[in-house]
Amino acid sequence: MKNLLFKKLYLMSDLEQAAFQTTFDPKMTIILGGNSTGKSSLIKSLYWILGADPARVHESWPNLKVTGLLEFQVDGKTFFMFRHGSIFALFDDARILKESMQRVTSQLAPYLAKLLGINLVLPDRKGIPTTPTPAFFFLPFYVDQDVGWERPWQSFSGLKQFAGYHRSIVSYHSGILPDEWFVRRAELQQMAAEKGGLQSQATVVERSALALRQSVTHDALSIDQEAYEAAILRLLAELKKLREKRAKFAAALSDAIAQRTLLNDQFEVGRRALKELENDRQWLVERGDEPIPCPTCGTIHENNFAMRFGIIEDREACVAVLNELVDQMIEVKTQVEAAHLNLRTVDEQIAAAQQVLTIKQGEITLAQVIASEGQRQALSVFDQQAAEIEAKTGDLTTRIDSVKKLIRKLENKTRKQKIEAFFAKEITANMNLLDVKNVNLDKAQKIHHVIKDTGSVHPRAVLSYILSFVSTCFEHTTAITAPVILDSPLQQDQDPVNAKRIFSTIEARRPANAQFIVGSVSLNGYEMSGKRIDLTNERKLLQPNLYSEVSAFIDGFRSQMI
């Protein structure tokens, strides 16, 4: 596990002839500024320089054509990252250029992942194992004021490159799945792709051989009796092997069809349950606020928003299960189709082999013998290719089985339970400190749960989750730990009491070795320890009087790139 620490930030606009610079405390930095003072632009720039673009930026900021330089440390070693537009450059502690990059996905992401010791690999929308963009490296550590408090895990842009990334990111950063698990899964995906390619090659070779065997001359028409008998024996052996293969494919088809039937039955049960939940919700809506008597015990239940919202949550859970079943049904459908294709192919091969065996050693012409010999040599090449492909496939299968065993070993249930229990304890304590009430605690204690509360309690619930997850990362992760940036936690008009709760909880629950950067309009009278940056110039984060100094410093880096 490596630790990332921010030291100093430089921002400059040659267009505006203005600049900004500041340092950061290794423990706590508070950035205070009213609306339009550039507070959020400053905060958004930090991970932006490292290639993680914020979900939203003020429309005027891109027009400034800002150049950014971030001095940071990785496990105590200093580096500088330069960014201007889509150009990135990394410099060492001696300010010597190490690498210049222009593509985030193919260049910056792998390079930065290596520097930070990140082995996270996710399948893209085509199923190809890919090192994700830097946004996924820092996603748990940044809450953007425009998006993050409303929709957790959405503070960066460009996240749609990977479907269903949330569970993988949570498992990776929390340590539930160690760093090595993702390395091994990438190996497994790569080997599976190679095996698929070999199987495609094998199909081409088999079909080519089949087409050759179905031509006018046949392998049985060998030049001499000995070769003829050898061909017959080889064909008999091949026929036996094909029949064994067919039995295996037939069994696979039977299993896939049985699984498809089971999934169809489960989907039908879920569909009926979803319909019943929708009927229940509609029935409650039609009754308005009229209380509902229990037909069994006579207890009167309130027909309120909470009850209807509970049904909606159950409905969403039901929809999630149905979606998962649909994914499984699609996968099983693919298995059934593949099994059907395998059966057809092997049946064609069996028919071809049987056809060859029906040829008699009657009178043949010299031309037939010559043609047959050429065919025999061609089939020998096909047989050699098929044998090589089979050997490679067998080797890959062995390696795949070995990696699968290692992956199962890395999916340590005891470790998972320990981390989940740690998180549950943390979020329970944080919710108490932040006075988060009337939430489903059982759901909130699930580390993969996404907060969906409403009103002023929602940002405090999100903060409870973020602080708990960060604590879990610093305690258990095998991945990177990074500066925690909380931009404007005073959301939804928090009253003075809750405002104090928010800042005091942030200060009290910060892990001892974590760097926090908190931005806010004010602290509402709370005295928070740490470095304080006050922004007072309206609409002017970048200052003309700093341009000469900052531009001269940045030019020392930029000149090396030129």
Side-chain angles (χ1 to χ4, degrees):
M1 178 186 77
K2 293 188 177 183
N3 182 56
L4 173 66
L5 185 75
F6 293 156
K7 294 185 67 179
K8 194 166 184 177
L9 173 69
Y10 304 84
L11 298 172
M12 175 187 72
S13 170
D14 290 321
L15 188 67
E16 291 285 308
Q17 298 281 290
F20 176 85
Q21 64 179 336
T22 190
T23 58
F24 299 97
D25 187 85
K27 298 298 183 182
M28 178 70 74
T29 300
I30 306 100
I31 302 174
L32 298 177
N35 295 328
S36 301
T37 58
K39 168 178 54 67
S40 289
S41 295
L42 188 164
I43 291 173
K44 292 173 188 284
S45 297
L46 288 165
Y47 280 124
W48 170 80
I49 293 176
L50 296 177
D53 292 349
R56 295 179 191 168
V57 294
H58 192 277
E59 59 183 10
S60 64
W61 186 252
N63 296 331
L64 299 178
K65 307 296 183 184
V66 172
T67 298
L69 182 72
L70 178 66
E71 181 181 354
F72 63 96
Q73 287 184 340
V74 179
D75 285 351
K77 188 173 182 179
T78 298
F79 297 92
F80 295 84
M81 181 66 82
F82 169 99
R83 180 175 183 179
H84 180 80
S86 61
I87 300 173
F88 299 85
L90 183 75
F91 299 81
D92 62 17
D93 56 347
R95 304 176 187 176
I96 303 300
L97 177 66
K98 302 292 292 182
E99 192 73 21
S100 181
M101 299 153 281
Q102 286 185 282
R103 295 180 179 87
V104 174
T105 301
S106 61
Q107 295 178 335
L108 176 65
Y111 192 86
L112 197 59
K114 184 177 180 181
L115 176 70
L116 301 177
I118 293 174
N119 293 304
L120 179 62
V121 178
L122 297 174
D124 64 15
R125 291 188 175 274
K126 295 181 180 179
I128 300 173
T130 305
T131 298
T133 55
F136 293 91
F137 304 166
F138 311 123
L139 197 54
F141 307 106
Y142 175 56
V143 185
D144 180 67
Q145 73 157 353
D146 298 311
V147 177
W149 299 105
E150 180 181 343
R151 290 179 287 148
W153 299 94
Q154 298 287 322
S155 291
F156 292 118
S157 66
L159 300 177
K160 293 182 179 180
Q161 178 184 0
F162 301 95
Y165 64 84
H166 175 258
R167 181 167 289 272
S168 293
I169 293 297
V170 170
S171 297
Y172 176 75
H173 282 286
S174 66
I176 287 176
L177 292 177
D179 203 52
E180 187 182 356
W181 185 92
F182 290 87
V183 177
R184 300 304 179 188
R185 186 181 70 164
E187 289 180 12
L188 184 63
Q189 291 169 336
Q190 185 64 39
M191 288 188 292
E194 291 178 17
K195 185 176 179 181
L198 287 173
Q199 289 172 338
S200 298
Q201 293 178 31
T203 300
V204 172
V205 170
E206 289 175 358
R207 289 179 177 175
S208 300
L210 176 64
L212 188 57
R213 288 192 174 95
Q214 291 176 333
S215 60
V216 178
T217 56
H218 296 275
D219 199 27
L221 301 177
S222 299
I223 290 179
D224 54 34
Q225 179 67 24
E226 182 178 349
Y228 174 84
E229 292 175 354
I232 295 295
L233 290 174
R234 185 183 62 77
L235 284 169
L236 288 171
E238 181 180 346
L239 187 59
K240 179 182 178 183
K241 184 178 179 181
L242 287 171
R243 285 172 176 159
E244 291 174 351
K245 187 186 291 187
R246 189 189 191 285
K248 179 180 177 182
F249 288 154
L253 177 60
S254 177
D255 291 343
I257 290 174
Q259 179 67 11
R260 181 177 64 183
T261 302
L262 177 61
L263 289 172
N264 285 338
D265 292 343
Q266 292 176 348
F267 185 84
E268 181 60 25
V269 171
R271 188 189 63 78
R272 289 198 299 268
L274 180 62
K275 184 176 181 180
E276 290 173 2
L277 286 170
E278 182 58 30
N279 290 339
D280 289 346
R281 186 193 67 79
Q282 185 61 34
W283 184 76
L284 289 174
V285 171
E286 291 173 355
R287 292 181 66 94
D289 296 328
E290 180 183 346
I292 303 169
C294 175
T296 303
C297 64
T299 302
I300 302 300
H301 298 277
E302 291 186 8
N303 179 12
N304 53 21
F305 173 77
M307 177 175 289
R308 293 193 293 273
F309 189 74
I311 291 177
I312 291 173
E313 282 193 323
D314 292 340
R315 181 183 180 278
E316 289 180 353
C318 189
V319 169
V321 171
L322 287 175
N323 287 337
E324 184 176 349
L325 285 172
V326 168
D327 291 340
Q328 294 178 21
M329 290 164 71
I330 292 172
E331 182 178 350
V332 169
K333 178 177 179 291
T334 302
Q335 294 173 2
V336 170
E337 291 173 351
H340 275 302
L341 177 61
N342 288 334
L343 274 178
R344 284 196 300 271
T345 301
V346 79
D347 282 341
E348 292 172 354
Q349 295 169 349
I350 289 173
Q354 289 174 332
Q355 183 180 359
V356 172
L357 287 173
T358 61
I359 298 175
K360 297 180 180 180
Q361 192 186 8
E363 294 181 359
I364 58 175
T365 66
L366 180 60
Q368 288 176 313
V369 173
I370 293 173
S372 178
E373 181 64 15
Q375 182 193 47
R376 185 186 67 79
Q377 292 180 6
L379 288 173
S380 175
V381 172
F382 286 137
D383 289 342
Q384 182 180 355
Q385 290 178 343
E388 291 174 355
I389 292 172
E390 184 177 3
K392 290 179 180 178
T393 303
D395 178 60
L396 269 176
T397 300
T398 301
R399 289 163 56 196
I400 285 172
D401 291 341
S402 176
V403 173
K404 282 182 177 179
K405 290 179 182 178
L406 183 56
I407 286 176
R408 286 194 293 269
K409 186 176 180 181
L410 291 170
E411 293 170 349
N412 189 303
K413 290 184 178 179
T414 302
R415 176 183 177 86
K416 180 175 182 290
Q417 292 170 353
K418 180 180 178 182
I419 292 173
E420 289 177 339
F422 179 90
F423 174 83
K425 181 180 178 181
E426 288 291 306
I427 198 168
T428 301
N430 288 333
M431 283 186 167
N432 287 333
L433 289 171
L434 291 165
D435 195 34
V436 177
K437 298 177 180 178
N438 300 322
V439 299
N440 188 322
L441 189 58
D442 289 336
K443 285 186 177 181
Q445 288 178 336
K446 305 297 183 185
I447 197 168
H448 292 94
H449 177 63
V450 177
I451 302 294
K452 295 181 180 178
D453 294 300
T454 58
S456 63
V457 74
H458 178 75
R460 301 203 307 277
V462 171
L463 180 60
S464 298
Y465 180 91
I466 294 297
L467 292 175
S468 304
F469 192 85
V470 165
S471 296
T472 304
C473 290
F474 276 84
E475 183 70 21
H476 293 287
T477 190
T478 59
I480 189 174
T481 53
V484 180
I485 299 178
L486 305 175
D487 189 2
S488 304
L490 294 185
Q491 299 284 319
Q492 300 289 348
D493 297 324
Q494 302 292 328
D495 60 41
V497 174
N498 280 324
K500 181 179 179 180
R501 285 193 179 104
I502 287 172
F503 291 120
S504 63
T505 302
I506 289 173
E507 190 171 31
R509 303 295 286 177
R510 179 187 65 81
N513 55 340
Q515 182 183 37
F516 270 45
I517 299 172
V518 181
S520 183
V521 172
S522 73
L523 295 178
N524 279 32
Y526 183 78
E527 293 295 329
M528 182 178 281
S529 61
K531 176 182 171 63
R532 179 166 166 164
I533 301 172
D534 289 292
L535 303 177
T536 57
N537 296 302
E538 187 172 353
R539 301 187 183 277
K540 281 290 181 182
L541 174 66
L542 307 182
Q543 298 298 308
N545 62 307
L546 293 175
Y547 178 73
S548 296
E549 178 185 351
V550 174
S551 63
F553 183 75
I554 290 181
D555 280 344
F557 296 87
R558 187 160 49 182
S559 61
Q560 295 184 57
M561 297 167 60
I562 296 173

